[in-house]
Structure formats: C-alpha cells, structure tokens
Amino acid sequence: MKLDSSNMENVFYTPAETTEQTLFNDNIKPDRTDEDLLFQVMMELGIALSDKIEKTTLAGKTVWNVGEGYLMACFEPNVNEDTITAIAKQQPQYFVMADRSLASDNVAENFEQLFEEYSPTTIRKIL
C-alpha cells in the first residue's frame, strides 16, 4: 500500500466553487480503480484495511463485501434496481456506491426507497 492523493476531484470538496458547466462532471478522478475507492471509503469509515474483503456478484454486478457484510460497495457502471435490491437484502451496516454507477435517474430516485424497504438501518453514501 502507498498513500496517494484523494480519489475525488476538487469539486467534491469545494462544492461552492461548482459552476453550471462543472455541475455534472464526474467527481472521481479518471485514473482511479474500484479498489482505490474501496480503500478510501474503508479509511473514512475507520474500517481496518486488514478486514476480510470479498468480491462477490449480485444481480450481475461486482460488489465488494468487507467485514462479512459490515460494508458493501459497488462502483460498476449501470447499477439498476435489481442490484440495489440484492445489496439491500444483505442488510449491510454501510453501503457505498459512485454516483456515476447509477444506471438512470429513475434508479437514483428509487435508491432510498429500496433501502428503506429492505434495510432501513443501513447507512448509505453515494460518492
């Protein structure tokens, strides 16, 4: 492991400086991998980097499972309601995904409702 700069573009940390032109830009640096994002989230949540990390497939998408369901994360493109439902049914303590991963605005709108139905106590975060 080596420490690098943040995975997030400056707009993530300075939203007040966002303009109409940059509002819909991806807030994750283009050269960052799913593993980079996962380790950043683990550090932000205080999860030991030595915790068990498994890569699983739910509804056709790769999902990271850390600490046997403590944290679940998905950074793949085109995540739909089926994937979110499958993750919510696992009832993780935390769930994290990238904004760019959402398949559509409709999926974004249903995201919270699906977790409220299947796992209301999960703490959810979209990068």
Side-chain angles (χ1 to χ4, degrees), residues 1-15:
M1 288 281 201
K2 73 173 191 169
L3 187 59
D4 199 348
S5 62
S6 171
N7 294 316
M8 310 309 287
E9 294 284 5
N10 287 338
V11 68
F12 184 80
Y13 297 110
T14 56

Side-chain angles (χ1 to χ4, degrees), residues 61 76-84 97-109 111:
K61 297 292 180 185
E76 285 214 28
N78 298 313
V79 173
N80 61 28
E81 286 95 343
D82 293 339
T83 306
I84 293 172
M97 71 182 301
D99 183 56
R100 67 182 180 197
S101 296
L102 293 162
S104 66
D105 290 341
N106 191 40
V107 175
E109 291 171 12
F111 175 84

Side-chain angles (χ1 to χ4, degrees), residues 1-10 13 28-33 35-37 39-41 43-44 49:
M1 288 281 201
K2 73 173 191 169
L3 187 59
D4 199 348
S5 62
S6 171
N7 294 316
M8 310 309 287
E9 294 284 5
N10 287 338
Y13 297 110
I28 299 171
K29 291 179 179 174
D31 63 337
R32 301 309 162 104
T33 67
E35 290 90 350
D36 293 333
L37 297 174
F39 285 118
Q40 177 179 331
V41 169
M43 289 189 295
E44 287 174 354
L49 298 179

Side-chain angles (χ1 to χ4, degrees), residues 23-98:
L23 181 63
F24 297 105
N25 290 353
D26 191 1
N27 59 357
I28 299 171
K29 291 179 179 174
D31 63 337
R32 301 309 162 104
T33 67
D34 292 355
E35 290 90 350
D36 293 333
L37 297 174
L38 179 66
F39 285 118
Q40 177 179 331
V41 169
M42 289 174 65
M43 289 189 295
E44 287 174 354
L45 295 175
I47 299 170
L49 298 179
S50 59
D51 274 4
K52 184 177 182 180
I53 300 171
E54 295 179 294
K55 197 190 270 192
T56 62
T57 302
L58 293 174
K61 297 292 180 185
T62 299
V63 177
W64 297 92
N65 183 339
V66 180
E68 297 179 1
Y70 185 73
L71 164 67
M72 295 186 85
C74 183
F75 305 112
E76 285 214 28
N78 298 313
V79 173
N80 61 28
E81 286 95 343
D82 293 339
T83 306
I84 293 172
T85 299
I87 293 166
K89 286 182 176 180
Q90 300 292 312
Q91 300 184 329
Q93 179 70 31
Y94 292 95
F95 173 65
V96 179
M97 71 182 301

